[in-house]
Amino acid sequence: MASEDIIERAEALRKEIRRHSYLYYVLDRPEITDFEFDKMYRELVTLEAEHPEIVTPDSPTQRVGGKASDDFRKVRFRKPMLSLTNVFNAEELREFDRRVKASLGTDEVEYITELKIDGLSMNLVYEDGRLVQGLTRGDGRVGEDVTANVKTIRTIPLYIENAPPYMEIRGEVYMPRKSFARLNEERDEAGLMPFANCRNAAAGSLRQLDPHVTAARNLDFFAYAIGETEGLDVHTQEELLRQLAAFHFRVNPNYRKWDSIEGVIEGVGEWAEKRRTLEYDTDGMVVKVNDFRQQDALGATVKDPKWATAYKYPPEEAVTQVEHIIVTMGRTGVLTPSADLAPVRLAGTTVKRATLHNLDFIREKDIREGDWVRIYKAGEIIPEVAAVLKEKRTGKEPEFQMPETCPVCGGKVERVEGEAAYRCMNPRCGGVVREKLIHFASRDAMDIEGLGPSVVDSLLACGLVKDPADFYTLDAGELQQLERMGEKRAANLVAAAADSRGRGLAKLLFALGIRFLGAKGAELLTEKYHTIEAVMAADEASLQETDGIGKVIAQSVYAYFHDERNLELVRKLQQAGVVTAEVKETAEGAAFAGERAVLTGKLASMGRREAGEIIRRLGGEVQSSVTKTTTLVIAGTDAGSKLEKARAQGVTILTEDEFLRRAGLAPAASESGEPSLF
Ligand code: IVH
């Protein structure tokens, strides 16, 4: 049996973890470093592993793992989840206002406007503060039990302090636009059908039988209403929103109170454009009578409350013509068709191209060259074809065929079993190499500034790079051979490449362009394995046990690191000084956290400037000379007076090998048996 002390310690840890998760995920205002947080979390995991009997279902360790209950069991709501009537213009809002006032027999009505989040509504049941059930809306009377999946959403509290004995919290589960864009990119690469918009992506992610998959999808939640609830003392929507925030839910901050419908009209006008800049999709604004007594007096029809309505913004669409269907190559050799469009204005930009994802997508919508199409922007960013205007066809539009040979190398193109994607099967295809290089240097990968597609093309044309490791051995002189590459630009590029060496394992794993492994998956592997050697040594079963990593990714990662060519690349990257271990974003816990280091002498593997960058990235500071505050000296060969001064002061001295090991770089332990200089 676990002793009282252990139970108490676990409870204290849970409470602290809850508080810091709230500060981090909901308020975006962390008070401790990731390192400190991880330490607490790991202590709790260990305690619970040693004493399984103390695990509680609301422990923060229990977010991922439960089984999706009985394929989404149907559950009847105690209070139905109603829908909303829609209005589309100011006049209809005024009519709504007149009806409300006539029915109440007073002109004293306050309204609250809230953004209408485009996700799916959710009913969360809390008993004595514990989350016991999450239900989708279903048909409004009977919902589906998705508790195991809902628990993976970090901003949904598993336990609420000082909560009434029973309450139902309602709100919207949604997928942020960035996550949506990333998910669809990954789906294209994996030969899966894309989601049409953030809402469908959120719905698809909640209806997963494996909660690990949901956990990796980065869903979020805004609370805005309550269902059946006992003992909550709130009298207005405004008070309710404050109370929900006090319970530590995420509440959308863009709500506002108005004392007239003209104010409401101003409010909806204000957001018509501004909503595009949000990180999530909205399709309108919800207007609610603020006072709960007035809400009760107004009542509801079987479908909708009479005290609220949704002002819908018109979906932005444009009509244009498909001039050509072209096929380009993605980073893993996937051939992706897109439509070259007659330029057209849409939601603030000129659109000239829309991705068509894959052949199945084209067939499903029957999109052909010459067709007139309706287009929209998914997640406010990505132009997509909604439908073909078939009545505008001339009969001359040819059905699209996937090329049989690669448009880059002429190699064989094949459709992989069970996938929608076609790939070039030639591993040496110049197109695949090019895409891999571009991907490696891109923003979400190693983020090498100035190394975009056109520079990659020039580098390839001059034979200066063959693989990403070559980026790190470029010298400014060589680079000046390239077109439009002056002295300064060349120097910047070399510096940017050097700077990227310290991005760390998560970015590097993603940058390698391993099939199916997205940025999120790379982070998950990094959290578990910490070094590239550990990832390379892991078998498929171990990889697959990682939260958020499914069988397909596990197989792909395993296969990648069992291909000699890829191992060679990793070795080359390590030799070039690329950090292949986890780098914590916060300095604490990083290899040189808190160190004030001086570099002296000649290093064999890199210049002093580069070494300095690595130290800084790993949390240290670099000094030009040894002073009283110096904590560390890295000494190469021919080190002179600085080294002597350091010795005299008793400062810790590292050889180059020791430095590299501490930085998590190539385990370049000296095998020559030479004694350390010191
Ligand atoms: S209140 C009875 N507030 O819109 C009132 N709904 O078209 C119920 N929605 O099913 C809803 N944001 O999924 C409310 N701030 C918000 C909302 C919101 C999005 C969704 C909700 C509802 C649908 C109605």
Side-chain angles (χ1 to χ4, degrees):
M1 253 327 260
S3 75
E4 278 303 306
D5 284 358
I6 288 165
I7 294 174
E8 255 172 44
R9 178 69 190 147
E11 245 337 287
L13 283 167
R14 286 182 195 127
K15 197 168 168 185
E16 272 303 278
I17 292 169
R18 248 190 331 262
R19 190 169 84 81
H20 289 295
S21 297
Y22 170 66
L23 285 165
Y24 182 87
Y25 289 108
V26 179
L27 300 185
D28 200 12
R29 236 176 25 222
E31 282 177 6
I32 58 174
T33 62
D34 291 2
F35 181 73
E36 286 166 313
F37 184 87
D38 289 348
K39 213 170 107 193
M40 259 194 295
Y41 191 85
R42 276 200 298 268
E43 187 186 341
L44 180 59
V45 169
T46 310
L47 269 185
E48 290 182 345
E50 284 166 2
H51 309 276
E53 69 280 6
I54 67 168
V55 180
T56 57
D58 61 356
S59 171
T61 58
Q62 303 300 302
R63 283 205 176 265
V64 193
K67 214 173 93 23
S69 44
D70 312 332
D71 293 8
F72 315 127
R73 190 166 54 97
K74 300 256 191 293
V75 180
R76 183 167 290 275
F77 296 115
R78 294 203 194 178
K79 250 194 191 160
M81 286 188 84
L82 299 180
S83 176
L84 290 171
T85 55
N86 293 324
V87 296
F88 297 94
N89 53 49
E91 201 34 56
E92 289 176 1
L93 274 176
R94 292 191 187 100
E95 270 168 39
F96 167 74
D97 177 55
R98 280 194 286 274
R99 274 198 307 277
V100 165
K101 287 177 175 163
S103 172
L104 290 174
T106 171
D107 279 355
E108 299 289 305
V109 180
E110 283 178 343
Y111 292 110
I112 297 280
T113 51
E114 293 167 20
L115 289 175
K116 186 167 187 297
I117 314 297
D118 202 8
L120 56 149
S121 41
M122 175 61 53
N123 185 66
L124 302 171
V125 182
Y126 285 87
E127 286 174 7
D128 294 323
R130 291 192 164 75
L131 175 64
V132 294
Q133 203 169 52
L135 304 172
T136 63
R137 180 166 176 274
D139 65 3
R141 312 276 146 178
V142 176
E144 283 184 323
D145 185 331
V146 290
T147 312
N149 291 339
V150 159
K151 282 173 85 172
T152 68
I153 301 174
R154 306 266 162 192
T155 51
I156 292 184
L158 300 182
Y159 176 71
I160 299 171
E161 285 175 33
N162 306 320
Y166 184 89
M167 60 177 189
E168 294 181 3
I169 305 296
R170 293 179 175 181
E172 205 81 355
V173 170
Y174 68 96
M175 184 178 285
R177 287 171 171 165
K178 264 205 198 123
S179 312
F180 164 74
R182 197 164 69 190
L183 177 63
N184 262 3
E185 250 172 54
E186 288 173 13
R187 290 177 74 85
D188 278 353
E189 290 284 344
L192 296 168
M193 279 306 234
F195 289 110
N197 51 47
C198 299
R199 176 168 27 90
N200 290 6
S205 304
L206 260 191
R207 290 189 52 88
Q208 290 289 332
L209 284 174
D210 180 358
H212 290 88
V213 178
T214 312
R217 291 284 176 85
N218 203 18
L219 295 174
D220 214 325
F221 179 76
F222 280 125
Y224 52 64
I226 44 174
E228 179 76 27
T229 293
E230 294 154 16
L232 200 58
D233 190 31
V234 287
H235 307 97
T236 63
Q237 176 66 11
E238 189 183 25
E239 278 175 33
L240 174 63
L241 293 173
R242 289 219 187 98
Q243 179 63 66
L244 292 172
F247 283 146
H248 289 186
F249 284 97
R250 189 198 277 280
V251 170
N252 193 291
N254 304 305
Y255 67 86
R256 206 164 147 182
K257 186 165 74 176
W258 307 91
D259 56 15
S260 77
I261 200 69
E262 294 310 315
V264 169
I265 292 167
E266 187 189 316
V268 298
E270 191 187 314
W271 279 99
E273 285 303 316
K274 216 159 78 181
R275 70 198 183 94
R276 296 190 202 296
T277 62
L278 295 166
E279 284 169 354
Y280 41 85
D281 275 6
T282 55
D283 58 342
M285 290 199 90
V286 183
V287 184
K288 302 175 180 178
V289 168
N290 189 28
D291 189 296
F292 282 177
R293 266 186 327 211
Q294 289 185 332
Q295 288 189 3
D296 290 343
L298 286 158
T301 69
V302 274
K303 268 177 53 212
D304 320 290
K306 293 185 189 168
W307 47 264
T309 192
Y311 180 95
K312 293 289 269 277
Y313 295 110
E316 291 244 19
E317 289 194 334
V319 169
T320 186
Q321 200 170 16
V322 176
E323 291 180 336
H324 303 285
I325 296 180
I326 57 156
V327 174
T328 56
M329 183 173 278
R331 70 185 158 97
T332 56
V334 174
L335 296 174
T336 308
S338 8
D340 268 349
L341 304 167
V344 63
R345 292 291 294 177
L346 174 64
T349 63
T350 300
V351 173
K352 292 187 227 156
R353 181 168 289 179
T355 172
L356 299 178
H357 303 289
N358 54 52
L359 188 61
D360 289 354
F361 183 90
I362 296 180
R363 289 280 180 271
E364 197 182 295
K365 306 222 158 178
D366 191 14
I367 303 164
R368 304 178 185 202
E369 278 188 358
D371 266 341
W372 286 87
V373 288
R374 260 193 305 119
I375 62 168
Y376 69 101
K377 278 192 188 161
E380 202 62 39
I381 321 169
I382 309 149
E384 292 274 356
V385 173
V388 173
L389 307 180
K390 298 229 171 98
E391 65 281 8
K392 286 210 174 201
R393 275 197 178 151
T394 62
K396 293 202 187 109
E397 295 78 7
E399 189 170 275
F400 173 76
Q401 304 298 339
M402 214 56 189
E404 281 166 16
T405 55
C406 169
V408 180
C409 73
K412 209 167 142 220
V413 167
E414 269 180 35
R415 180 177 194 151
V416 182
E417 272 274 318
E419 281 188 17
Y422 284 73
R423 288 171 202 282
C424 171
M425 301 316 272
N426 172 11
R428 303 204 189 288
C429 169
V432 177
V433 172
R434 172 182 187 265
E435 293 307 322
K436 277 199 186 269
L437 290 169
I438 293 172
H439 171 73
F440 187 91
S442 66
R443 174 90 52 90
D444 291 339
M446 296 300 267
D447 192 15
I448 308 181
E449 215 185 311
L451 223 151
S454 65
V455 176
V456 167
D457 285 339
S458 316
L459 289 169
L460 282 166
C462 297
L464 288 177
V465 297
K466 291 198 184 57
D467 63 47
D470 294 335
F471 287 149
Y472 297 101
T473 51
L474 290 170
D475 78 57
E478 264 176 349
L479 276 171
Q480 284 177 54
Q481 301 167 29
L482 306 186
E483 257 181 66
R484 288 192 302 276
M485 184 66 72
E487 205 176 318
K488 181 133 193 268
R489 229 180 128 200
N492 286 344
L493 201 57
V494 172
D499 187 43
S500 79
R501 288 205 268 220
R503 299 269 183 265
L505 182 60
K507 298 286 182 195
L508 178 64
L509 280 176
F510 177 58
L512 290 174
I514 301 170
R515 260 182 87 189
F516 305 120
L517 185 69
K520 180 87 189 173
E523 280 169 20
L524 296 169
L525 289 179
T526 300
E527 269 171 38
K528 174 160 173 190
Y529 295 103
H530 312 295
T531 66
I532 206 163
E533 284 79 14
V535 178
M536 294 187 338
D539 59 23
E540 267 182 53
S542 160
L543 289 164
Q544 209 183 312
E545 277 163 20
T546 316
D547 280 351
I549 299 290
K551 190 166 169 204
V552 180
I553 303 179
Q555 278 172 349
S556 172
V557 171
Y558 183 83
Y560 183 91
F561 288 118
H562 284 76
D563 180 329
E564 186 46 45
R565 280 170 305 195
N566 299 327
L567 299 181
E568 180 53 36
L569 174 61
V570 171
R571 272 194 294 273
K572 244 180 110 178
L573 286 165
Q574 289 182 323
Q575 274 156 14
V578 173
V579 176
T580 56
E582 181 174 25
V583 171
K584 295 271 184 191
E585 272 180 25
T586 41
E588 201 135 348
F592 293 99
E595 300 280 20
R596 284 179 291 269
V598 172
L599 289 147
T600 177
K602 239 174 103 77
L603 299 177
S605 59
M606 66 184 79
R608 281 217 294 270
R609 209 174 67 81
E610 290 148 26
E613 264 152 19
I614 290 170
I615 292 169
R616 277 191 286 270
R617 188 160 298 281
L618 295 176
E621 206 178 286
V622 179
Q623 299 178 323
S624 53
S625 59
V626 177
T627 69
K628 284 207 179 68
T629 61
T630 305
T631 60
L632 194 67
V633 165
I634 290 116
T637 49
D638 300 329
S641 62
K642 288 182 191 172
L643 178 57
E644 287 186 0
K645 191 162 176 200
R647 274 206 198 112
Q649 288 192 14
V651 173
T652 310
I653 296 162
L654 296 186
T655 63
E656 180 168 355
D657 278 352
E658 287 164 345
F659 162 67
L660 291 174
R661 271 201 297 275
R662 177 142 163 205
L665 296 169
S670 115
E671 278 157 23
S672 61
E674 269 176 14
S676 161
L677 275 170
F678 313 103

